[in-house]
Amino acid sequence: MPTGQTTTSFSFKMTKRPIVLSGPSGAGKSTLIKKLFVDFPNRFGFSVSHTTRGPRPGETHGKDYFFISREKFEEDVNSGKFIEHAEFSGNHYGTSIDAVLEVSKSGKQCILDIDMQGVLSLKRSSLNPFYVSIQPPSIEILENRLKGRGTETDESIKKRLIAARKEIEFSKTAGVFDLIIINDDLERSYQKLKKFIEENSSV
Ligand SMILES: Nc1ncnc2c1ncn2[C@@H]1O[C@H](COP(=O)(O)OP(=O)(O)OP(=O)(O)O)[C@@H](O)[C@H]1O
């Protein structure tokens, strides 16, 4: 996601602080989020992002992403629809104000999946979430996971690995993340995430 700009000064009043999961593509963010939703079917709401990339097999419009054209995306940027938007690996991604409000209205705790540029933008917004970084044990393991997922072309994997190196460096920036999980063993990673959320559930 490119410029990392905040496009709105909208003010959010959330009952529970949202949780941002960030980290390289293939690190395991979606897998961990899915586990949370299975474990707590009524507690969390996912902020559905908009993207100009095409759907992967099994992805649903309005559930995983809103899949929109580049033209529509630009129109939405210009009309101030996004809290943050950026370009990643040749495609545009954005979190709309409506997506977060939708979750907020339902009284659920909002979960967001965004890249490092999105994190930097949200830090300038009024959303005030917790920031959790999901990291792979190594670049080699990340590459194997991306290949194993079977959703990316060789070219796309190459771009993701270049971006991943920046994401890994970024995760080391002091004071950005409230929790860093090295996603080696999935169950152990999930327990760490769950514990963090439970410990911070009163806020
Ligand atoms: N701890 C783990 N051990 C082994 N494989 C894992 C682990 N966590 C996730 N995976 C696998 O790695 C692949 C990438 O995971 P996932 O799709 O959740 O990544 P992501 O961070 O959401 O990526 P993207 O940002 O591209 O959506 C998937 O095939 C998933 O099943």
Side-chain angles (χ1 to χ4, degrees), residues 24-31 56 145 149 160 183-186:
S25 168
K29 303 175 297 287
S30 314
T31 308
R56 293 176 190 149
R145 284 188 190 162
R149 193 169 70 182
R160 280 161 203 270
N183 181 19
D184 190 347
D185 177 78
L186 182 60

Side-chain angles (χ1 to χ4, degrees), residues 2 10 17 22 53 73 106 108 158 183 200:
F10 195 89
R17 280 176 72 185
S22 191
R53 83 153 161 78
F73 194 94
S106 71
K108 294 180 177 173
K158 227 194 242 166
N183 181 19
N200 292 286

Side-chain angles (χ1 to χ4, degrees), residues 59-74:
E59 284 184 333
T60 311
H61 179 81
K63 183 168 172 272
D64 300 286
Y65 280 100
F66 292 107
F67 298 99
I68 60 171
S69 68
R70 206 163 261 269
E71 292 70 32
K72 174 79 171 101
F73 194 94
E74 278 162 21

Side-chain angles (χ1 to χ4, degrees), residues 4-5 7 13 18 33 35 51 64 68 71 87 91 107 111 120 130 135 140 148 150-151 156 164 178 187 198:
Q5 346 171 5
T7 50
K13 286 200 173 55
I33 291 170
K35 281 177 81 65
T51 183
D64 300 286
I68 60 171
E71 292 70 32
E87 191 177 341
N91 294 301
I111 301 212
L120 289 170
F130 290 112
Q135 293 295 322
E140 290 73 25
T151 55
S156 165
D178 300 297
E187 197 47 43
E198 278 167 354

Side-chain angles (χ1 to χ4, degrees), residues 80-202:
K81 192 166 172 173
F82 295 115
I83 311 167
E84 61 83 25
H85 66 91
E87 191 177 341
F88 174 78
S89 201
N91 294 301
H92 293 280
Y93 294 82
T95 302
S96 72
I97 296 169
D98 283 352
V100 175
L101 283 181
E102 194 62 34
V103 178
S104 165
K105 272 192 294 193
S106 71
K108 294 180 177 173
Q109 188 164 17
C110 186
I111 301 212
L112 301 98
D113 172 348
I114 55 176
D115 84 336
M116 57 182 271
Q117 297 171 71
V119 166
L120 289 170
S121 294
L122 284 193
K123 293 245 168 198
R124 296 194 295 269
S125 78
S126 62
L127 198 63
N128 191 32
F130 290 112
Y131 293 94
V132 179
S133 171
I134 309 296
Q135 293 295 322
S138 69
I139 280 280
E140 290 73 25
I141 290 174
L142 184 70
E143 185 171 3
N144 288 337
R145 284 188 190 162
L146 282 169
K147 283 181 179 161
R149 193 169 70 182
T151 55
E152 309 303 321
T153 61
D154 288 352
E155 189 54 34
S156 165
I157 289 178
K158 227 194 242 166
K159 281 188 188 168
R160 280 161 203 270
L161 291 175
I162 291 169
R165 290 180 193 279
K166 293 183 192 155
E167 289 273 354
I168 292 168
E169 272 316 300
F170 177 70
S171 74
K172 296 175 187 158
T173 317
V176 173
F177 290 100
D178 300 297
L179 173 70
I180 298 176
I181 295 175
I182 310 292
N183 181 19
D184 190 347
D185 177 78
L186 182 60
E187 197 47 43
R188 233 184 3 243
S189 300
Y190 177 62
Q191 291 306 325
K192 276 185 199 159
L193 178 62
K194 198 165 118 172
K195 183 164 174 270
F196 174 83
I197 293 172
E198 278 167 354
E199 282 173 358
N200 292 286
S201 61
S202 59

